[in-house]
Amino acid sequence: MPHYTASHWGVYEVSRDDDGHPQIAPFARDPDPSLIGLHQLDPKLLESRVARPSVRRSWLEQGPGASPHLRGKEPFIEVSWDRALDLVASELDRVRNDHGNEAIFGGSYGWASAGRFHHAQSQIHRFLNCAGGYVSHTASYSLGAGHVIMPRIVAKMHDLMSQHTSWDVMARDTELFVAFGGVPAKNAQISPGGVGRHRVGPGLRNLAKAGVRFINIGPCSDNIDPACEAEWIQCRPNSDTALMLACAWQLVAEDLHDQAFLSKYASGFERFLPYLLGETDGIPKTPEWAAPITGVPADRIATLAREMAEHRTMLNIAWSLQRAHHGEQPFWMLVTLAAMLGQIGLPGGGFGAGYGPANTMGNDLPRIPGPTLPQGENPVSAYIPVARIADLLLNPGAKFLHDGTEQTYADIRLVYWAGGNPYHHHQDLNRLNRAWEKPETIVVHEPFWTATARRADIVLPISTTDERDDLGYASQEGFLVAMQKIREPYEDARSDFDILAALSHRMGFGEAFTENRSASEWLEHLYEGTRATWKKLDIETPPFDEFWEEGLIDLSEHARSCVMLSDFRDDPVAHPLNTPTGKIEIFSEPIHSFGLADCSGHPEWRPAVEWLGAPDRDPTMLHLISDQPERKLHSQLDPSPHSEAGKKEGREPVFINPGDASRLGFSDGDLVEIHNSRGRCLAVAAVSENIMAGVVRMSTGAWYAPLEDGLESHGNPNVLTLDIGTSTLSQGCAAQSCLVHIRGPVNTAPDVQAFGKPIFG
Ligand SMILES: Nc1nc2c(c(=O)[nH]1)N[C@H]1C(S)=C(S)[C@@H](COP(=O)(O)OP(=O)(O)OC[C@H]3O[C@@H](n4cnc5c(=O)[nH]c(N)nc54)[C@H](O)[C@@H]3O)O[C@H]1N2
Ligand SMILES: Nc1nc2c(c(=O)[nH]1)N[C@H]1C(S)=C(S)[C@@H](COP(=O)(O)OP(=O)(O)OC[C@H]3O[C@@H](n4cnc5c(=O)[nH]c(N)nc54)[C@H](O)[C@@H]3O)O[C@H]1N2
Ligand SMILES: [Mo]
């Protein structure tokens, strides 16, 4: 009987070799398994594990708030579990008694690991709710703008994600697939909670075989399967909205827009049209207008508009386009353009938001709820849009705008992080360093000595997924997996649950937190709850013991073809959208009524503060794209040999066009320094025709490794990125609006000290 494990990047089969050592193999039912997971047991990773509870020296000797500037710079002292738990419990008590629960930031953003019970965020949120609440966060780094704009104009992102037109339908009906930002197979390796069968690679290749034509728009050409033979239209980063507007203008000029669709299914086109035609601002959004903005020739834009109108066209957008200043606009304009083409709700037409960012979209499995740990209610109402963490810490009491409301930043004394890595995910890490000095105490639960763990006051060592039993499930991936423990926890590591249970007993709410269940009793309880829900959906499942023995439940028989928004198209009265008008909102009365300076009532061209067309740009600066890494998930598994193999001499590659490299005087393989007013880092030049002139690309994920003088040595783009909100509407992460200088070759190559353990003593 095989035995399984699940990770965000896939289900894997576990066996033992003759010596009893565990081996991980691809899942036989997965047509395109990810290589990432094959390395999750690599011994190299153990070198960076947290072995025992560790406390920063000054904090231990002098108490909360001692020498916060020494975070990350002074030794840790290892303490016993009892001592560590006493310290954390009494510090939580001190803060909640003296300052109230509004002084605890427990948003704790991050992907953690895949199991549903040992899900770090659910655990920490449940615990802090039992403790009287915490300052939380909304949305995600992934979709800060998307989560705010999309429900206002069409539907919630999660509702859209679960009803993307399936790959089989597109193979049959799509004629033209236009991708803004590609359909990167590297990103579709993952799904939050765990991929079952990887479908995006095979899905795209089937479309290509069926004769679908592909056009890929954006700064990079290698983010779509070569089998698609996509035409690459080079378009400057952050300028896609201008291109889409010009396509829209051309449709109107040639009367190719679908007025009947717009009248029946959309609202506010007549309020957008005067802007498009230039009646409101004197600037008609013609292809000639867009050409110098985007770098795309005007006649190519005009023919693109015709090609879209003449064919069954799927418009796709990468999430990265909204992870930029004014990131609401490309998403809003994509939906507007799709509405003008009138194919939303038809098989193979309309829009995707998007195919590529995860395995989920285009999957033919419906959304079926699975096991989740109840988090309880949070009595504290103060929150931040997730990417405003540095603003929160730096500006207690300041006001900020969010989704049409005015909010106040809380005064945070204690930060509690479990399952995320802000020193991976946040922008402008030098600014985060300043913000990180503000709290009196920072507690981090981590399996690894990440940059965040190194900058904490108290670090508690956490077991990894393979060191505990769990349930693996993602709602559209088709498998419920019995994740059986593969090996014993590393050194003194414990699960988040065991730690929080011990803390809750110390703090007097043990029963509320644990409900008197052990971890294994929780697994059975969550499984049985899911079993009862599924029974109502006519999905029969075995009792827990049988499931645990068999290793997984395969839901693939419940697959069905899907056409996004087809119900709405069939009958918009019976199936209205959940927007104020029940229709697609090309004009949004609520957003208009907010009177924001940086987002009005309809989609618009709003240039980013940093992009290639910025009027005050130093002409030698290049646009930095910091995309998702191919060989890992964010910062996870960066020390693995698989991730290391993608680096050059232990540093992240920065992809650059041959013309730019030769103009700047360096070659492929040279060490270079990337810098701007916010920070500096080293990387290795990777000269490539797959990136347009004026743009460089360096993926995220290299563990932050600054030298004493502030130079980051490993190739972490977040020392360069901009820490501003997408707009005062959504306040999302705007990492993709970033200009940099590059110089090279650099002759001195300092060691990269990202991995291993910190200093103790
Ligand atoms: N410049 C730039 N920056 C970006 C992006 C970008 O495109 N460009 N993308 C952003 C996006 S979309 C995202 S989602 C974020 C991702 O940012 P994060 O989700 O914060 O990144 P991860 O590396 O996945 O961090 C998860 C951490 O949880 C730890 N962990 C794993 N399992 C457990 C567990 O069981 N318990 C505990 N306590 N910890 C565990 C891992 O060791 C790891 O350190 O990054 C964002 N940052
Ligand atoms: N292997 C792996 N897969 C992952 C992740 C990971 O860390 N590793 N992270 C996951 C997570 S949390 C998320 S949110 C998703 C994110 O999914 P996305 O946000 O879609 O992914 P990115 O890789 O940031 O960007 C996709 C492509 O957009 C292009 N692009 C960037 N800016 C622009 C622009 O202005 N215009 C156009 N036209 N194109 C642009 C880039 O060239 C890049 O190839 O990925 C997920 N998948
Ligand atoms: Mo994300």
Side-chain angles (χ1 to χ4, degrees):
M1 200 54 107
H3 149 186
Y4 303 96
T5 190
S7 60
H8 297 302
W9 42 85
V11 176
Y12 294 87
E13 297 185 11
V14 183
S15 60
R16 305 255 159 206
D17 67 12
D18 296 343
D19 300 325
H21 295 307
Q23 311 275 312
I24 291 216
F27 182 37
R29 292 179 229 187
D30 186 344
D32 196 12
S34 161
L35 297 177
I36 296 176
L38 297 177
H39 300 260
Q40 62 202 25
L41 297 183
D42 196 279
K44 192 87 193 123
L45 291 162
L46 298 180
E47 294 170 15
S48 300
R49 286 290 296 273
V50 184
R52 275 166 286 283
S54 303
V55 185
R56 182 169 68 87
R57 190 166 62 194
S58 305
W59 196 98
L60 189 64
E61 289 169 356
Q62 295 156 45
S67 312
H69 60 286
L70 292 181
R71 288 190 177 118
K73 298 195 174 109
E74 67 174 325
F76 281 95
I77 294 169
E78 292 186 332
V79 298
S80 67
W81 266 114
D82 266 346
R83 176 110 192 263
L85 293 168
D86 286 344
L87 287 172
V88 176
S90 61
E91 177 59 358
L92 279 165
D93 275 337
R94 178 190 76 85
V95 173
R96 60 181 183 154
N97 291 335
D98 291 1
H99 304 285
N101 285 66
E102 293 76 13
I104 300 173
F105 180 68
S108 187
Y109 181 76
W111 271 59
S113 49
R116 294 296 87 188
F117 172 64
H118 292 293
H119 178 245
Q121 268 72 43
S122 308
Q123 292 284 353
I124 188 68
H125 293 164
R126 178 182 170 85
F127 168 80
L128 289 172
N129 283 339
C130 292
Y134 62 97
V135 175
S136 60
H137 69 71
T138 60
S140 62
Y141 276 75
S142 323
L143 282 163
H147 278 310
V148 173
I149 190 73
M150 295 303 257
R152 292 197 169 276
I153 64 165
V154 51
K156 281 186 182 163
M157 271 313 295
H158 285 111
D159 294 337
L160 289 172
M161 281 156 71
S162 62
Q163 56 161 313
H164 269 55
T165 300
S166 45
W167 290 107
D168 57 327
V169 174
M170 288 193 287
R172 199 183 58 222
D173 293 305
T174 303
E175 294 170 332
L176 178 64
F177 191 109
V178 179
F180 290 90
V183 186
K186 68 168 174 82
N187 291 355
Q189 288 178 97
I190 63 87
S191 245
V195 171
R197 294 177 173 86
H198 285 87
R199 295 168 190 262
V200 173
L204 275 176
R205 293 192 283 275
N206 277 343
L207 262 62
K209 223 186 295 164
V212 176
R213 213 181 118 215
F214 286 86
I215 297 177
N216 186 16
I217 299 171
C220 303
S221 66
D222 53 0
N223 51 18
I224 191 158
D225 196 291
C228 299
E229 295 182 15
E231 176 195 354
W232 179 24
I233 297 184
Q234 299 191 18
C235 178
R236 287 159 135 191
N238 297 187
S239 75
D240 306 74
T241 304
L243 184 85
M244 293 185 222
L245 280 165
C247 288
W249 185 93
Q250 194 68 32
L251 293 178
V252 172
E254 298 186 20
D255 204 19
L256 292 172
H257 61 302
D258 189 336
Q259 191 55 63
F261 182 93
L262 289 169
S263 309
K264 188 165 175 191
Y265 299 100
S267 138
F269 181 66
E270 68 294 343
R271 299 191 66 178
F272 164 70
L273 191 60
Y275 167 77
L276 187 68
L277 299 179
E279 289 162 9
T280 48
D281 61 357
I283 306 171
K285 310 302 174 301
T286 62
E288 289 71 22
W289 163 79
I293 296 174
T294 58
V296 183
D299 55 350
R300 185 67 196 90
I301 301 176
T303 42
L304 179 63
R306 290 180 204 118
E307 287 166 325
M308 289 174 178
E310 282 160 9
H311 294 98
R312 182 58 60 84
T313 302
M314 179 59 76
L315 299 180
N316 188 48
I317 194 159
W319 293 352
S320 55
L321 275 82
Q322 54 82 64
R323 220 177 294 114
H325 193 202
H326 300 304
E328 303 81 11
Q329 304 301 328
F331 267 42
W332 202 349
M333 193 52 215
L334 184 93
V335 174
T336 300
L337 183 57
M340 291 173 71
L341 292 168
Q343 300 181 21
I344 294 172
L346 291 181
F351 68 92
Y355 298 97
N359 188 52
T360 321
M361 284 68 76
N363 213 323
D364 54 7
L365 280 152
R367 186 158 62 171
I368 302 172
T372 43
L373 181 72
Q375 298 187 9
E377 294 292 318
N378 186 353
V380 173
S381 59
Y383 73 92
I384 53 164
V386 67
R388 305 277 46 86
I389 176 71
D391 287 351
L392 164 73
L393 299 178
L394 288 167
N395 305 302
K399 306 271 183 220
F400 66 97
L401 298 176
H402 179 237
D403 202 10
T405 65
E406 189 182 70
Q407 305 287 337
T408 306
Y409 287 123
D411 185 355
I412 299 299
R413 308 297 171 118
L414 185 149
V415 169
Y416 206 128
W417 223 293
N421 187 358
Y423 273 89
H424 162 76
H425 63 235
H426 197 58
Q427 287 54 66
D428 196 349
L429 293 179
N430 288 311
R431 181 168 189 259
L432 183 65
N433 278 328
R434 294 190 289 279
W436 208 247
E437 290 184 13
K438 295 285 177 174
E440 290 156 12
T441 299
I442 298 175
V443 183
V444 168
H445 286 197
E446 252 297 336
F448 293 94
W449 279 111
T450 61
T452 301
R454 284 165 185 263
R455 285 162 183 75
D457 299 319
I458 303 179
V459 184
L460 302 180
I462 303 295
S463 51
T464 48
T465 35
D466 48 288
E467 296 167 351
R468 54 201 189 206
D469 290 334
D470 210 339
L471 299 171
Y473 188 71
S475 74
Q476 278 182 273
E477 293 290 344
F479 293 99
L480 180 59
V481 184
M483 298 167 63
Q484 297 174 19
K485 176 167 154 181
I486 301 173
R487 55 184 178 182
E488 289 307 312
Y490 177 74
E491 300 276 345
D492 288 357
R494 295 184 182 178
S495 69
D496 296 285
F497 171 76
D498 285 346
I499 296 167
L500 298 171
L503 286 173
S504 65
H505 286 300
R506 275 174 169 72
M507 293 171 70
F509 53 85
E511 215 167 300
F513 178 70
T514 64
E515 296 178 18
N516 293 325
R517 283 188 201 96
S518 66
S520 57
E521 286 164 347
W522 268 105
L523 293 189
E524 183 161 354
H525 172 73
L526 293 177
Y527 176 85
E528 291 299 343
T530 299
R531 195 168 170 231
T533 311
W534 288 7
K535 200 171 165 55
K536 293 190 201 127
L537 303 169
D538 285 331
I539 303 174
E540 286 298 331
T541 48
F544 182 76
D545 290 345
E546 218 174 291
F547 154 71
W548 198 253
E549 178 63 29
E550 282 175 18
L552 53 76
I553 294 170
D554 188 339
L555 298 169
S556 51
E557 66 182 84
H558 302 281
R560 84 293 178 242
S561 293
C562 181
V563 174
M564 190 201 270
L565 298 173
S566 57
D567 286 357
F568 168 62
R569 185 171 189 120
D570 290 347
D571 189 342
V573 177
H575 302 287
L577 300 178
N578 197 15
T579 59
T581 56
K583 297 181 179 186
I584 294 167
E585 302 224 331
I586 295 174
F587 188 91
S588 164
E589 198 57 61
I591 297 178
H592 170 71
S593 75
F594 300 154
L596 302 175
D598 52 5
C599 189
S600 66
H602 60 73
E604 281 180 321
W605 164 241
R606 286 180 176 270
V609 277
E610 288 192 22
W611 74 296
L612 291 173
D616 50 354
R617 173 180 80 107
D618 171 342
T620 60
M621 291 186 99
L622 305 169
H623 194 120
L624 173 70
I625 297 291
S626 49
D627 65 339
Q628 310 291 325
E630 180 179 352
R631 289 167 174 269
K632 53 194 166 248
L633 175 68
H634 316 131
S635 67
Q636 297 193 44
L637 308 185
D638 191 35
S640 78
H642 184 58
S643 172
E644 283 293 289
K647 296 182 190 174
K648 297 190 173 183
E649 285 153 25
R651 279 179 246 270
E652 206 57 44
V654 57
F655 292 89
I656 183 164
N657 181 274
D660 287 326
S662 80
R663 182 173 52 81
L664 293 164
F666 55 80
S667 327
D668 190 67
D670 281 346
L671 186 63
V672 295
E673 182 184 312
I674 317 177
H675 58 105
N676 62 18
S677 59
R678 295 178 287 274
R680 311 183 287 142
C681 73
L682 295 175
V684 177
V687 176
S688 168
E689 297 278 2
N690 295 327
I691 186 146
M692 69 184 274
V695 183
V696 290
R697 175 174 75 82
M698 183 163 68
S699 298
T700 59
W703 285 17
Y704 175 56
L707 304 173
E708 273 198 3
D709 63 357
L711 176 68
E712 203 285 327
S713 59
H714 198 186
N716 186 314
N718 276 329
V719 298
L720 303 158
T721 50
L722 185 61
D723 182 16
I724 58 165
T726 42
S727 76
T728 52
L729 180 72
S730 59
Q731 299 281 12
C733 156
Q736 305 305 346
S737 299
C738 176
L739 291 173
V740 294
H741 292 285
I742 301 199
R743 68 173 189 90
V746 171
N747 295 322
T748 42
D751 288 347
V752 181
Q753 282 170 357
F755 304 136
K757 314 213 182 207
I759 303 164
F760 295 95

